[in-house]
Amino acid sequence: MPLIDDLFSLPVPQSIQISPNSQQILYSTALTWNAKFPGAEHAVSTLWLAETGKADSARQLTAGNSNDRDPRWSPEGDSIAFLSDRGRTAERKESCAIYSLPASGPGEATAITDVANERNIESFRFSPMGGKIAFLSADEKDENRKKKDKEKDDVQVWGEELAFNRLRIVDLGTKAVEVLVSQEQHILEFAWNDDGSAIVFTTTKSTDIESNSLYGTDVWILDLETKKQKRICHIAKMGRDLVWAGKRIYWVGPVAEEWLTSAFGVHEVEVPADMSEAANEGTTNKSHHIAYAKTNCALNLSKTATGNEVLVYVQNGMADEIRLLNGDKTLFSKKRKILAWDATFTTDSDEVVLALAQGDSNNPTEVYTTTASGGSMVQLSHLGQTVKQAGRNFGTTTFLTCQSLDGKVQLECPLVLPFSAAPNNTKPAKPLPTVVLIHGGPYYRHTESFEGLYFMWAPLLLSAGYSILLADYRGSSGRGEEWASHARGNSGVKEDYEDIIGLTNAAVEQGYADPERLAVGGWSQGGFFSYLCSVRNGLHGLGWRFQAAIPGAGMTDLDTMALTSDVGFWEQELVASGAAWLSPPSDVRNRRGSALWEFRENVRSGKVVLPAMMILHGEGDVRVPVEQGRGMRRALEQFCAEEGKKEEGREGPVEWRYVVYPREGHFIVETGHLVDMGRRVVGWVERFLGKA
């Protein structure tokens, strides 16, 4: 198969779970970004089982014809439960149910909940003592609602007929389902306490994605014996990855409580000693930020299957780490992305077993096990064998460091050199044509991984001989609150944009990147910066310019983002004066950092020479609506038409393309579109940087 087909057929491991006896590893795989196979209407996912510490022991549990996902061990370790749409038929377009498989296998999956249910099950958890499963799902549509939908009587009134998540419990013996919590609020997450006598859950006012940003999140405890529930605290914005251990409840969330644009740390609240009272809206406990977010960031929490220790996934600079919250002990640390993970104590010692999904710039992501005491990394899976058996090599990663242009901070990011030019991770004999790829977020960051950015751009470009600079900037994750806060009210204005330029300049000055053969690209926030690099091309005065740009799903006008994006309340945190309804008419500060508002001053006045620009966008994108890309397309088209110049066989002063993918949202999921994009990206770079 051609490389591009191999790459988009690669299974990616997800949802890793270690068995209660720590002897087996359970996980699922799906295509990257849950993409769909050619011609398929739905994504598929497959379950796998492997033996801890035994190389190449992974075996497939399910056929891979359905979306079998989020697998979990029963507390006894004798069965596996998972979510699936395998009950879907031609007549019933949707289906979501919890299924069970015997852990010994092989065996037939049996449904635990009703396969005729069409509402999605958001999450589920076994009770600690077994015998029951709690889960979140919305009520099914009644016959009257179905009749109205069929007759197109589907008028939407804001705030009415919301599909609130309910907290439910199913008895595994009888399969009887009971609704535990059905208040008129949306339940986001839940967790059991240690002995299964109570459940903590979080709610927000609405099902809308912005609700916890606007109204915050409440934390509740439900006593399963009395069925009483009590609100114990309020979180100003959001909390995720709920864990109940002992007498405390933990979650990760922003440390600047009034902002989503903030570093994430671990927070806790003490469990009330008295649950005898009903919910008291006036009395709540105070939550506290207790760990991380000063010089690093906590992204995920989990609890060990044995010992009930709380585990934390931490981004510490370029290193991905797994730590114990109690004592802040580091169990694993490496400058390599952890895509999925689990960890637990062995049943007969203090040793900690870790299961990790990792890849590097030359090898696709696989599942490994190791131990916290420093055991070897044992590869259990062979998901990338199609790519590796073909003898394909991609690149080797080094980490570029330099002082920021303002001299205030030290910058660091991965620089991936094509294997053909630096097979032993040595410095190439001469500077290479280089593509600067910028991550989204902005609260995200690069470290070494196989894919590097999105949609296999990195391995495709590396295999074509181009080096990849994965630029990280102030406002990203991994370096604490002061670093992350640079994005608030400042996006694209100074530090973040200048850091991208500073890292690119360092790659040039250190002899890695050819200053005459530079391209820039990225997705979402990375697309936003790609637009800015284009309309400011060369204004930095450092003696080089980008020859090509590939902005994907990027913003060009920050003011309209607050009006049109599905996360508009979050978008207004990124700009200086907030949303239009919060600003006086004379306040135009939001134009700073908006590429379209710099087009006349920089491009039409002749201050910059635009790079050849290929705009990519999903037609149904609600996060960054396609109008953001369409606005730049109109600016380019009118500019070229008015200039009327013919250069090198093209119309106008700059080459550009505007590519829209039908049916796609913020992330591209149809394989045909992904393949088309990959070919266009490599072709665009080759055309304007020359073959590598």
Side-chain angles (χ1 to χ4, degrees):
M1 292 174 65
L3 170 63
I4 196 165
D5 293 328
D6 279 345
L7 289 175
F8 289 117
S9 299
L10 274 175
V12 178
Q14 303 170 334
S15 303
I16 293 177
Q17 293 278 303
I18 302 176
S19 64
N21 65 5
S22 71
Q23 298 303 302
Q24 292 180 297
I25 310 299
L26 176 66
Y27 62 95
S28 62
T29 60
L31 296 184
T32 180
W33 294 97
N34 291 315
K36 295 180 268 189
F37 283 107
E41 292 187 12
H42 301 270
V44 298
S45 179
T46 307
L47 304 187
W48 298 75
L49 189 64
E51 307 300 315
T52 302
K54 186 177 180 180
D56 302 320
S57 60
R59 56 188 175 89
Q60 192 169 329
L61 287 182
T62 58
N65 300 322
S66 305
N67 193 4
D68 301 332
R69 63 197 187 278
D70 196 19
R72 295 191 172 273
W73 292 96
S74 67
E76 302 83 4
D78 58 352
S79 66
I80 294 162
F82 61 97
L83 298 177
S84 180
D85 63 354
R86 56 179 55 205
R88 173 171 37 86
T89 64
E91 294 77 22
R92 188 176 62 251
K93 297 296 184 182
E94 300 295 337
S95 173
C96 187
I98 304 172
Y99 290 79
S100 177
L101 271 173
S104 57
E108 194 67 30
T110 57
I112 296 172
T113 60
D114 192 344
V115 299
N117 286 353
E118 298 179 358
R119 296 288 197 187
N120 188 45
I121 295 176
E122 294 289 342
S123 62
F124 74 97
R125 299 290 186 273
F126 278 98
S127 60
M129 302 302 139
K132 295 182 178 181
I133 289 177
F135 65 97
L136 295 181
S137 68
D139 293 335
E140 294 294 306
K141 293 181 180 180
D142 59 24
E143 292 304 316
N144 183 51
R145 181 69 264 172
K146 290 179 180 179
K147 181 175 180 292
K148 285 186 174 183
D149 289 348
K150 187 175 181 179
E151 296 171 351
K152 301 291 190 289
D153 182 10
D154 52 1
V155 175
Q156 296 180 12
V157 180
W158 183 254
E160 295 184 8
E161 296 190 77
L162 300 178
F164 291 121
N165 273 345
R166 313 298 191 190
L167 177 60
R168 309 172 198 271
I169 194 166
V170 57
D171 185 289
L172 298 181
T174 65
K175 297 185 180 179
V177 175
E178 177 188 359
V179 179
L180 296 176
V181 179
S182 60
Q183 61 199 56
E184 291 303 288
Q185 286 189 309
H186 190 53
I187 303 177
L188 299 169
E189 291 192 21
F190 73 94
W192 293 87
N193 69 345
D194 296 338
D195 63 10
S197 63
I199 293 176
V200 60
F201 61 95
T202 56
T203 65
T204 189
K205 182 178 179 180
S206 166
T207 59
D208 185 71
I209 192 173
E210 294 181 323
S211 180
N212 56 15
S213 174
L214 190 58
Y215 303 110
T217 307
D218 287 328
V219 182
W220 300 75
I221 287 180
L222 170 70
D223 185 299
L224 290 175
E225 182 179 357
T226 64
K227 297 298 191 289
K228 289 182 178 180
Q229 59 191 61
K230 184 180 183 69
R231 189 176 76 125
I232 61 169
C233 73
H234 179 76
I235 305 170
K237 290 294 183 181
M238 63 171 289
R240 67 183 189 214
D241 287 357
L242 275 176
V243 168
W244 188 340
K247 297 181 179 180
R248 286 175 171 79
I249 294 164
Y250 304 92
W251 62 87
V252 294
V255 296
E257 293 186 357
E258 298 300 322
W259 299 90
L260 282 177
T261 310
S262 168
F264 274 44
V266 179
H267 304 254
E268 72 168 17
V269 65
E270 191 169 352
V271 177
D274 183 12
M275 276 295 296
S276 61
E277 298 179 7
N280 185 338
E281 292 294 328
T283 305
T284 60
N285 292 7
K286 175 66 176 174
S287 64
H288 304 278
H289 166 231
I290 61 166
Y292 305 111
K294 185 175 182 180
T295 60
N296 47 30
C297 298
L299 273 294
N300 294 119
L301 288 184
S302 183
K303 189 167 73 170
T304 59
T306 57
N308 289 330
E309 292 278 359
V310 179
L311 301 161
V312 193
Y313 163 51
V314 178
Q315 291 182 348
N316 186 23
M318 293 288 102
D320 272 18
E321 300 179 340
I322 306 298
R323 299 187 183 186
L324 284 176
L325 178 60
N326 184 21
D328 194 23
K329 179 181 178 181
T330 300
L331 305 176
F332 181 88
S333 179
K334 198 167 191 175
K335 285 186 175 182
R336 189 168 293 170
K337 182 173 179 59
I338 298 174
L339 198 64
W341 64 279
D342 194 15
T344 194
F345 287 91
T346 57
T347 55
D348 56 356
S349 73
D350 291 333
E351 181 64 275
V352 178
V353 173
L354 299 104
L356 308 162
Q358 288 193 307
D360 59 39
S361 49
N362 200 43
N363 297 286
T365 304
E366 302 285 0
V367 178
Y368 299 84
T369 53
T370 186
T371 58
S373 60
S376 60
M377 293 279 286
V378 180
Q379 182 178 326
L380 310 183
S381 65
H382 40 81
L383 302 170
Q385 62 180 345
T386 304
V387 170
K388 297 312 294 180
Q389 284 176 355
R392 293 180 172 124
N393 290 305
F394 298 93
T396 55
T397 295
T398 188
F399 287 88
L400 185 77
T401 61
C402 68
Q403 195 77 0
S404 62
L405 293 180
D406 61 10
K408 293 181 179 180
V409 297
Q410 184 83 357
L411 302 175
E412 184 177 16
C413 75
L415 173 64
V416 193
L417 305 174
F419 194 85
S420 56
N424 299 313
N425 203 19
T426 56
K427 192 170 183 177
K430 61 180 182 179
L432 300 174
T434 300
V435 182
V436 180
L437 293 182
I438 311 168
H439 67 72
Y443 192 62
Y444 185 80
R445 70 96 164 90
H446 291 300
T447 190
E448 182 177 12
S449 66
F450 178 69
E451 189 177 358
L453 185 73
Y454 307 111
F455 314 129
M456 297 296 177
W457 289 11
L460 285 168
L461 289 166
L462 287 167
S463 67
Y466 301 96
S467 63
I468 306 294
L469 181 69
L470 295 166
D472 282 305
Y473 47 87
R474 276 171 280 187
S476 305
S477 59
R479 294 180 65 170
E481 170 60 12
E482 184 178 353
W483 190 269
S485 66
H486 282 280
R488 292 203 291 266
N490 198 41
S491 196
V493 176
K494 190 170 177 61
E495 289 93 348
D496 46 11
Y497 165 76
E498 287 189 355
D499 289 348
I500 295 164
I501 298 301
L503 285 163
T504 306
N505 191 62
V508 170
E509 289 188 338
Q510 294 178 30
Y512 288 104
D514 184 344
E516 302 298 322
R517 303 172 76 187
L518 294 171
V520 63
W523 202 264
S524 194
Q525 190 80 355
F528 162 73
F529 284 119
S530 300
Y531 281 125
L532 289 181
C533 287
S534 299
V535 299
R536 300 172 181 174
N537 200 21
L539 289 181
H540 47 68
L542 297 171
W544 51 264
R545 293 189 306 218
F546 293 109
Q547 283 74 47
I550 309 172
M555 298 83 79
T556 58
D557 179 21
L558 296 179
D559 252 338
T560 56
M561 279 293 292
L563 309 179
T564 59
S565 172
D566 67 334
V567 290
F569 275 91
W570 174 63
E571 292 290 343
Q572 72 184 40
E573 292 188 3
L574 302 177
V575 293
S577 57
W581 56 86
L582 300 173
S583 307
S586 59
D587 190 344
V588 295
R589 288 177 296 162
N590 290 355
R591 295 182 179 182
R592 300 182 304 161
S594 295
L596 281 174
W597 287 102
E598 297 187 23
F599 198 92
R600 175 178 176 173
E601 177 66 22
N602 295 344
V603 178
R604 297 180 73 91
S605 67
K607 292 180 181 179
V608 305
V609 176
L610 280 172
M613 192 182 304
M614 181 168 67
I615 300 167
L616 305 171
H617 223 113
E619 188 176 41
D621 193 344
V622 295
R623 184 64 40 83
V624 181
V626 69
E627 287 78 11
Q628 295 286 320
R630 186 180 297 154
M632 183 59 73
R633 186 268 295 168
R634 286 174 171 160
L636 290 167
E637 191 161 31
Q638 185 173 1
F639 173 59
C640 289
E642 290 176 359
E643 291 293 315
K645 297 178 182 177
K646 290 185 178 181
E647 297 179 359
E648 300 176 7
R650 65 177 185 263
E651 294 288 340
V654 61
E655 187 83 5
W656 59 273
R657 292 288 184 278
Y658 175 59
V659 184
V660 174
Y661 293 101
R663 301 175 300 282
E664 301 285 13
H666 192 53
F667 295 106
I668 309 302
V669 297
E670 293 186 24
T671 304
H673 291 160
L674 290 167
V675 170
D676 176 86
M677 181 192 295
R679 287 176 173 150
R680 288 182 185 276
V681 166
V682 175
W684 197 254
V685 172
E686 284 184 342
R687 180 173 176 183
F688 296 101
L689 267 60
K691 284 187 175 293

